[in-house]
């Protein structure tokens, strides 16, 4: 009797789930995608897969199904878009302005900082924080970029031509930069080997693993998993580091107040504080008619620390690799850097000199095309929308494949060849479709740190290249890639550096 009741209950549940999933799938019938199983959809295809495997699966799915496809993750359908027309719609349409559910996995770490927040909170914070990236402010940061990249270049040379795993070293450098600029706090991560970057590395991997693993999607199951302990430890390390930075800056500002403004941070003739840090805005400005709470400050600091160091580290790492792989490009970058900045690395760099490095601009663009630091971004529809001939219901998760689009031969002929000249104005590759090349995203939710990143990358590369000649560890070495939230070299990118 009990067996019959249990069997009937399971059967009813199965029919219910099956019907519910049929309704869920109905709007997307015209969109192609890999065949799935009746109740779990494509979930089983992601279980046990590493971030490298998942990245390759997404590339393969695009090859099989084209630039629009779906993946059935049992609790919903994920739509993937990889053509410029659709991406223009998604990046500029207010109905796509909301971040998708998978960003929820970041909530405990980043809170609702600028990257994840939506609606009024996002709008007011974005407006208040935009001045922290004003041209005049960036001008003050160039000196920090310069000092920190000199330390990095000297570290590379200290390996005397032996193999160096550059990604961890570059991350420490970009961490120093973001802490000393945006947070206005002295940082020596390159000499003190901060545990922060390792914690970010581990937590990013865990968060990505959860995004594609439906079993551990729920809090309850995640807490039972073997990764939960590491996750909590990482959070603790990150939190401790962030709070110490906020505390240090608060004390500096208190001293500044007591000295009635007589400090290194005095106003200059433009009326902007000479070293007004993003953190100062967070600590001193009223948003929505009130100061930010400690938790709101912490969320933004965590957000900017992460978004501002891991992305630029990825960009610089792949650029150094590209120059090692293409010695003729490296030579041209070197010659331009010496002709504009001189060969003495002690001469301070200026923003206007960086603007004159035109060939380096092309090389950076090409590297961000081939290796976009943010390979995928996700949104959720806030109302029913038409996209690519399909009516998409409210609350559907949509992923934009920046990496895939940047490698599409239709928009970038010979996409696997490194050709900086394709970005020359006369060739007009960017004009062909303005949304075919979007390493910093576009529209209202584009990267607030784009200019900051571009100057930091330019400053770092022009410094390293004037001090070092870069070589691959062996001819034709190709780094295996992994894509979590950030595109990374799976093996930490080994390269060799020799003095000029
Ligand atoms: C090469 C370096 C960088 C790249 C390729 C990059 C790329 C991007 C992309 C694609 C987005 C959109 C993300 C999404 O929609 O989910 C974004 C957003 C963002 N980026 Fe960057 N980023 C870089 C550097 C930086 C830096 C240096 C900072 C801070 C100093 C920064 C801060 C942010 C923030 C706060 C957002 C969220 C903006 C918003 O939603 O209003 N990024 N970035």
């Amino acid at each position: 009797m009990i067996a019959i009741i249990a069997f009937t209950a399971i059967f009813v549940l199965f029919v219910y789930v099956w019907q519910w999933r049929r309704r869920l799938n109905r709007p997307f019938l015209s969109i192609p995608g890999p065949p799935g199983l009746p109740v779990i959809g494509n979930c089983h295809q992601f279980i046990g897969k590493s971030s490298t495997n998942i990245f390759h699966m997404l590339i393969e799915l695009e090859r099989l199904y084209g630039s629009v496809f779906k993946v059935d993750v049992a609790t919903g359908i994920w739509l993937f878009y990889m053509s410029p027309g659709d991406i223009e719609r998604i990046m500029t349409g207010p109905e796509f302005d909301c971040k998708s559910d998978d960003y929820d996995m970041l909530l405990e770490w980043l809170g609702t900082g600028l990257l994840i927040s939506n609606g009024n909170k996002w709008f007011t914070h974005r407006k208040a924080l935009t001045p922290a990236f004003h041209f005049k402010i960036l001008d003050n940061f160039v000196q920090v970029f310069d000092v920190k990249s000199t330390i990095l270049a000297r570290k590379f040379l200290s390996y005397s031509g032996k193999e160096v795993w550059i990604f961890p070293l570059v991350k420490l450098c970009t961490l120093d930069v973001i802490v000393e600029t945006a947070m206005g706090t002295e940082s020596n991560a390159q000499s003190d080997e901060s545990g922060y970057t390792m914690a970010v590395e581990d937590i990013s991997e865990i968060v990505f693993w959860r995004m594609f693993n439906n079993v551990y999607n729920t809090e309850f199951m995640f807490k039972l998993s073997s990764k939960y302990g590491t996750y909590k430890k990482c959070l603790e390390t990150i939190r401790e580091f962030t709070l110490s930075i906020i505390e240090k800056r608060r004390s500096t500002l208190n001293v500044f107040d007591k000295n009635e403004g007589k400090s290194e941070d005095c106003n200059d003739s433009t009326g902007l504080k000479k070293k007004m840090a993003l953190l100062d805005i967070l600590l001193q400005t009223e948003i929505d008619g009130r100061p930010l709470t400690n938790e709101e400050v912490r969320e933004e600091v965590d957000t900017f620390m992460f978004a501002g160091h891991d992305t630029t580290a990825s960009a610089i790492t792949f650029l150094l690799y590209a120059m090692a792989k293409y010695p003729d490009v490296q030579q041209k970058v070197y010659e331009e850097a010496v002709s504009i900045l001189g060969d003495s690395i002690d001469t301070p760099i200026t923003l206007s000199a960086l603007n004159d490095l035109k060939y380096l601009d092309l090389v950076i663009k090409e590297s961000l095309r081939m290796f976009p630091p943010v390979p995928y971004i996700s949104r959720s529809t806030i109302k029913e929308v038409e996209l690519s001939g399909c009516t998409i219901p409210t609350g559907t998760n949509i992923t934009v494949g920046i990496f895939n689009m940047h490698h599409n031969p239709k928009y970038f002929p010979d996409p696997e060849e490194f050709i900086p000249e394709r970005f020359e104005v006369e060739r007009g590759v960017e004009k062909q479709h303005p949304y075919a090349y979007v390493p910093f995203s576009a529209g209202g939710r584009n990267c607030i740190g784009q200019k900051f990143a571009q100057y930091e990358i330019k400053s770092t590369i022009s410094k390293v290249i004037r001090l070092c000649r870069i070589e691959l560890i062996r001819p034709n070495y190709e780094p295996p890639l992994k894509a979590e939230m950030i595109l990374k070299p799976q093996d930490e990118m080994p390269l060799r550096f020799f003095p000029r």
Side-chain angles (χ1 to χ4, degrees):
M1 186 63 184
I2 291 175
I4 294 174
I5 294 172
F7 178 78
T8 313
I10 291 170
F11 180 73
V12 169
L13 185 69
F14 181 83
V15 171
Y16 174 79
V17 172
W18 185 53
Q19 288 297 334
W20 169 69
R21 284 183 31 77
R22 262 166 60 101
R23 276 200 304 280
L24 196 75
N25 259 303
R26 204 168 294 140
F28 311 107
L29 288 177
S30 62
I31 300 180
L37 295 174
V39 172
I40 59 167
N42 304 114
C43 280
H44 60 295
Q45 288 158 344
F46 291 95
I47 289 175
K49 295 281 192 311
S50 67
S51 47
T52 308
N53 298 143
I54 293 174
F55 178 43
H56 288 290
M57 275 170 74
L58 294 180
I59 293 172
E60 182 60 9
L61 289 174
E62 189 209 4
R63 197 185 64 73
L64 292 172
Y65 300 105
S67 63
V68 183
F69 61 86
K70 67 181 172 198
V71 172
D72 180 346
V73 293
T75 47
I77 302 288
W78 278 350
L79 302 181
F80 289 80
Y81 290 88
M82 299 177 175
S83 78
D86 291 334
I87 289 178
E88 175 169 11
R89 232 358 263 300
I90 296 165
M91 287 181 173
T92 55
E95 60 275 40
F96 298 99
D97 255 2
C98 182
K99 295 297 170 89
S100 71
D101 300 350
D102 38 337
Y103 287 76
D104 289 355
M105 312 278 166
L106 295 164
L107 275 176
E108 202 176 354
W109 167 21
L110 302 181
T112 47
L114 202 62
L115 185 66
I116 301 180
S117 58
N118 293 309
N120 187 52
K121 177 166 183 186
W122 169 76
F123 180 78
T124 49
H125 282 223
R126 174 95 189 195
K127 199 163 152 227
L129 296 177
T130 297
F133 296 93
H134 187 279
F135 180 75
K136 286 274 172 206
I137 306 287
L138 295 182
D139 203 14
N140 294 318
F141 292 165
V142 174
Q143 189 202 346
V144 178
F145 299 159
D146 200 26
V147 170
K148 300 302 177 187
S149 53
T150 307
I151 300 174
L152 179 69
R154 294 215 161 107
K155 241 184 184 178
F156 287 155
L157 286 179
S158 71
Y159 286 79
S160 327
K162 286 197 214 102
E163 190 175 307
V164 193
W165 290 3
I166 69 163
F167 192 42
L169 301 182
V170 178
K171 275 193 281 191
L172 291 171
C173 176
T174 55
L175 178 65
D176 265 351
V177 166
I178 194 76
V179 174
E180 272 199 23
T181 54
M183 306 306 156
T185 306
E186 197 186 338
S187 170
N188 297 305
Q190 292 192 90
S191 47
D192 301 346
E193 298 271 326
S194 159
Y196 172 85
T197 55
M198 270 312 292
V200 168
E201 184 66 37
D202 291 346
I203 206 169
S204 304
E205 199 179 321
I206 295 173
V207 165
F208 187 80
W209 165 79
R210 279 190 78 196
M211 283 176 181
F212 281 90
N213 197 322
N214 254 19
V215 179
Y216 298 107
N217 235 259
T218 58
E219 251 340 271
F220 177 75
M221 288 306 290
F222 178 46
K223 282 184 180 160
L224 296 180
S225 78
S226 59
K227 295 190 192 263
Y228 187 69
T230 316
Y231 170 81
K232 276 290 177 197
K233 270 205 195 96
C234 292
L235 262 187
E236 207 176 291
T237 309
I238 292 172
R239 196 66 42 99
E240 206 176 289
F241 189 70
T242 321
L243 292 178
S244 76
I245 285 169
I246 299 173
E247 208 31 63
K248 271 194 220 160
R249 190 64 195 165
R250 255 195 227 282
S251 329
T252 311
L253 291 175
N254 284 342
V255 172
F256 173 70
D257 280 349
K258 281 194 195 122
N259 291 344
E260 294 172 54
K262 289 186 206 99
S263 93
E264 39 144 9
D265 292 345
C266 61
N267 288 359
D268 69 6
S269 58
T270 63
L272 290 163
K273 269 187 186 173
K274 201 160 177 257
K275 267 197 169 181
M276 188 173 69
L278 175 120
L279 182 51
D280 298 355
I281 299 183
L282 293 169
L283 293 173
Q284 295 181 328
T285 309
E286 294 203 340
I287 300 181
D288 261 352
R290 59 165 183 83
L292 296 187
T293 62
N294 287 345
E295 182 56 10
E296 284 169 329
V297 172
R298 201 271 308 151
E299 290 175 341
E300 293 299 2
V301 171
D302 268 328
T303 296
F304 276 86
M305 295 266 292
F306 164 62
H309 97 279
D310 227 13
T311 47
T312 40
S314 161
I316 291 166
T317 298
F318 284 112
L319 243 159
L320 292 172
Y321 159 74
M323 289 196 297
K325 175 140 193 222
Y326 301 94
D328 50 331
V329 172
Q330 181 176 166
Q331 183 61 21
K332 279 173 87 174
V333 170
Y334 169 69
E335 283 168 13
E336 183 187 64
V338 170
S339 77
I340 290 171
L341 307 170
D343 50 11
S344 161
I345 55 144
D346 299 324
T347 317
I349 294 186
T350 61
L351 209 61
S352 99
L354 290 179
N355 283 333
D356 290 339
L357 297 167
K358 303 288 182 207
Y359 181 67
L360 181 53
D361 265 333
L362 304 180
V363 175
I364 293 173
K365 280 187 173 166
E366 178 66 341
S367 189
L368 293 178
R369 177 193 70 78
M370 267 189 125
F371 306 106
V374 181
Y376 296 97
I377 61 176
S378 294
R379 300 289 167 84
S380 177
T381 49
I382 52 172
K383 62 178 186 186
E384 191 178 271
V385 280
E386 279 289 312
L387 188 60
S388 252
C390 176
T391 306
I392 298 170
T394 309
T396 305
N397 282 341
I398 287 186
T399 296
V400 167
I402 297 179
F403 181 94
N404 305 57
M405 190 172 60
H406 283 187
H407 286 255
N408 189 332
K410 197 165 148 197
Y411 311 109
F412 302 99
D414 299 320
E416 303 317 318
E417 293 296 315
F418 192 84
I419 312 173
E421 291 74 14
R422 70 168 94 233
F423 283 98
E424 281 171 344
V425 180
E426 310 84 69
R427 295 219 195 167
V429 71
E430 281 176 282
K431 284 193 204 127
Q432 189 183 314
H433 196 300
Y435 287 81
Y437 177 71
V438 282
F440 293 97
S441 184
R445 295 219 66 161
N446 70 347
C447 176
I448 194 172
Q450 174 167 353
K451 283 270 162 264
F452 179 111
Q454 284 166 327
Y455 283 120
E456 180 182 358
I457 296 167
K458 261 187 147 176
S459 175
T460 308
I461 296 295
S462 58
K463 176 58 60 87
V464 172
I465 205 68
R466 281 180 300 146
L467 270 169
C468 317
R469 188 168 50 75
I470 315 165
E471 284 187 14
L472 295 180
I473 46 160
R474 58 176 174 275
N476 301 321
Y477 167 72
E478 300 262 353
L481 304 180
K482 65 175 177 181
E484 288 160 4
M485 286 168 291
I486 307 291
L487 186 74
K488 296 171 177 180
Q490 197 191 295
D491 56 6
E492 309 289 7
M493 190 68 84
L495 291 176
R496 293 183 203 283
F497 294 82
F498 301 91
R500 288 271 177 195

Tab-separated table of all heavy atoms in Angstrom, residues 302-321:
chain	number	residue	atom	x	y	z
A	302	ASP	N	34.341	46.784	-1.852
A	302	ASP	CA	34.563	45.420	-2.335
A	302	ASP	C	34.351	45.331	-3.846
A	302	ASP	O	35.098	44.662	-4.562
A	302	ASP	CB	33.618	44.436	-1.619
A	302	ASP	CG	34.275	43.836	-0.381
A	302	ASP	OD1	35.504	43.657	-0.398
A	302	ASP	OD2	33.562	43.569	0.614
A	303	THR	N	33.301	46.005	-4.325
A	303	THR	CA	32.995	45.966	-5.756
A	303	THR	C	34.131	46.575	-6.576
A	303	THR	O	34.622	45.979	-7.543
A	303	THR	CB	31.687	46.748	-6.036
A	303	THR	OG1	30.628	46.077	-5.368
A	303	THR	CG2	31.390	46.842	-7.517
A	304	PHE	N	34.574	47.766	-6.197
A	304	PHE	CA	35.604	48.441	-6.988
A	304	PHE	C	36.968	47.765	-6.863
A	304	PHE	O	37.756	47.768	-7.799
A	304	PHE	CB	35.679	49.932	-6.613
A	304	PHE	CG	34.643	50.732	-7.361
A	304	PHE	CD1	33.353	50.847	-6.874
A	304	PHE	CD2	34.947	51.324	-8.573
A	304	PHE	CE1	32.391	51.551	-7.583
A	304	PHE	CE2	33.990	52.026	-9.290
A	304	PHE	CZ	32.706	52.145	-8.794
A	305	MET	N	37.229	47.197	-5.687
A	305	MET	CA	38.503	46.493	-5.520
A	305	MET	C	38.549	45.298	-6.470
A	305	MET	O	39.561	45.045	-7.117
A	305	MET	CB	38.627	45.972	-4.097
A	305	MET	CG	38.699	47.064	-3.087
A	305	MET	SD	40.359	47.477	-2.718
A	305	MET	CE	40.798	45.992	-1.907
A	306	PHE	N	37.427	44.562	-6.548
A	306	PHE	CA	37.392	43.392	-7.417
A	306	PHE	C	37.379	43.819	-8.892
A	306	PHE	O	38.247	43.425	-9.669
A	306	PHE	CB	36.162	42.531	-7.088
A	306	PHE	CG	35.840	41.524	-8.153
A	306	PHE	CD1	36.757	40.526	-8.473
A	306	PHE	CD2	34.636	41.574	-8.849
A	306	PHE	CE1	36.479	39.602	-9.474
A	306	PHE	CE2	34.351	40.654	-9.848
A	306	PHE	CZ	35.270	39.672	-10.161
A	307	ALA	N	36.373	44.669	-9.239
A	307	ALA	CA	36.215	45.055	-10.658
A	307	ALA	C	37.427	45.829	-11.153
A	307	ALA	O	37.733	45.811	-12.338
A	307	ALA	CB	34.951	45.897	-10.831
A	308	GLY	N	38.133	46.502	-10.246
A	308	GLY	CA	39.229	47.364	-10.665
A	308	GLY	C	40.598	46.703	-10.674
A	308	GLY	O	41.546	47.294	-11.170
A	309	HIS	N	40.738	45.479	-10.113
A	309	HIS	CA	42.090	44.905	-10.167
A	309	HIS	C	42.191	43.624	-10.997
A	309	HIS	O	43.161	43.426	-11.726
A	309	HIS	CB	42.667	44.690	-8.749
A	309	HIS	CG	42.515	43.290	-8.232
A	309	HIS	ND1	41.355	42.830	-7.685
A	309	HIS	CD2	43.379	42.250	-8.221
A	309	HIS	CE1	41.510	41.566	-7.355
A	309	HIS	NE2	42.716	41.182	-7.657
A	310	ASP	N	41.147	42.770	-10.946
A	310	ASP	CA	41.225	41.484	-11.638
A	310	ASP	C	41.131	41.677	-13.157
A	310	ASP	O	41.817	40.994	-13.924
A	310	ASP	CB	40.067	40.589	-11.157
A	310	ASP	CG	40.553	39.200	-10.806
A	310	ASP	OD1	41.772	39.013	-10.708
A	310	ASP	OD2	39.708	38.294	-10.644
A	311	THR	N	40.288	42.619	-13.573
A	311	THR	CA	40.096	42.897	-15.006
A	311	THR	C	41.370	43.447	-15.639
A	311	THR	O	41.818	42.958	-16.674
A	311	THR	CB	38.999	43.955	-15.177
A	311	THR	OG1	39.277	45.012	-14.252
A	311	THR	CG2	37.619	43.402	-14.938
A	312	THR	N	41.963	44.457	-14.985
A	312	THR	CA	43.151	45.079	-15.578
A	312	THR	C	44.321	44.089	-15.532
A	312	THR	O	45.147	44.073	-16.448
A	312	THR	CB	43.532	46.375	-14.837
A	312	THR	OG1	43.365	46.170	-13.446
A	312	THR	CG2	42.671	47.536	-15.262
A	313	ALA	N	44.367	43.253	-14.490
A	313	ALA	CA	45.443	42.247	-14.419
A	313	ALA	C	45.324	41.280	-15.598
A	313	ALA	O	46.325	40.918	-16.229
A	313	ALA	CB	45.375	41.489	-13.099
A	314	SER	N	44.091	40.873	-15.909
A	314	SER	CA	43.879	39.975	-17.041
A	314	SER	C	44.333	40.669	-18.335
A	314	SER	O	45.067	40.095	-19.145
A	314	SER	CB	42.397	39.592	-17.101
A	314	SER	OG	42.040	39.109	-18.358
A	315	ALA	N	43.924	41.940	-18.501
A	315	ALA	CA	44.278	42.675	-19.728
A	315	ALA	C	45.794	42.791	-19.878
A	315	ALA	O	46.351	42.511	-20.945
A	315	ALA	CB	43.630	44.056	-19.701
A	316	ILE	N	46.489	43.175	-18.805
A	316	ILE	CA	47.945	43.384	-18.882
A	316	ILE	C	48.660	42.049	-19.140
A	316	ILE	O	49.581	41.955	-19.944
A	316	ILE	CB	48.453	44.053	-17.575
A	316	ILE	CG1	47.933	45.496	-17.514
A	316	ILE	CG2	49.979	44.014	-17.476
A	316	ILE	CD1	48.075	46.163	-16.160
A	317	THR	N	48.189	40.998	-18.476
A	317	THR	CA	48.808	39.676	-18.638
A	317	THR	C	48.736	39.202	-20.093
A	317	THR	O	49.731	38.760	-20.675
A	317	THR	CB	48.106	38.660	-17.705
A	317	THR	OG1	48.304	39.110	-16.368
A	317	THR	CG2	48.634	37.261	-17.850
A	318	PHE	N	47.547	39.306	-20.706
A	318	PHE	CA	47.417	38.839	-22.086
A	318	PHE	C	48.170	39.751	-23.068
A	318	PHE	O	48.674	39.279	-24.096
A	318	PHE	CB	45.938	38.709	-22.474
A	318	PHE	CG	45.300	37.483	-21.866
A	318	PHE	CD1	44.327	37.583	-20.880
A	318	PHE	CD2	45.701	36.213	-22.262
A	318	PHE	CE1	43.765	36.454	-20.305
A	318	PHE	CE2	45.132	35.067	-21.697
A	318	PHE	CZ	44.162	35.189	-20.725
A	319	LEU	N	48.258	41.030	-22.727
A	319	LEU	CA	49.021	41.944	-23.592
A	319	LEU	C	50.507	41.586	-23.582
A	319	LEU	O	51.163	41.585	-24.621
A	319	LEU	CB	48.865	43.365	-23.050
A	319	LEU	CG	48.173	44.341	-23.978
A	319	LEU	CD1	47.626	45.494	-23.190
A	319	LEU	CD2	49.110	44.831	-25.051
A	320	LEU	N	51.038	41.280	-22.394
A	320	LEU	CA	52.457	40.910	-22.307
A	320	LEU	C	52.697	39.621	-23.096
A	320	LEU	O	53.697	39.471	-23.794
A	320	LEU	CB	52.880	40.751	-20.837
A	320	LEU	CG	52.899	42.063	-20.027
A	320	LEU	CD1	53.132	41.787	-18.543
A	320	LEU	CD2	53.974	43.021	-20.551
A	321	TYR	N	51.731	38.706	-23.000
A	321	TYR	CA	51.838	37.459	-23.766
A	321	TYR	C	51.845	37.764	-25.274
A	321	TYR	O	52.674	37.250	-26.026
A	321	TYR	CB	50.677	36.527	-23.408
A	321	TYR	CG	50.429	35.487	-24.470
A	321	TYR	CD1	51.303	34.407	-24.623
A	321	TYR	CD2	49.345	35.603	-25.350
A	321	TYR	CE1	51.100	33.469	-25.626
A	321	TYR	CE2	49.140	34.676	-26.350
A	321	TYR	CZ	50.012	33.612	-26.488
A	321	TYR	OH	49.823	32.696	-27.488
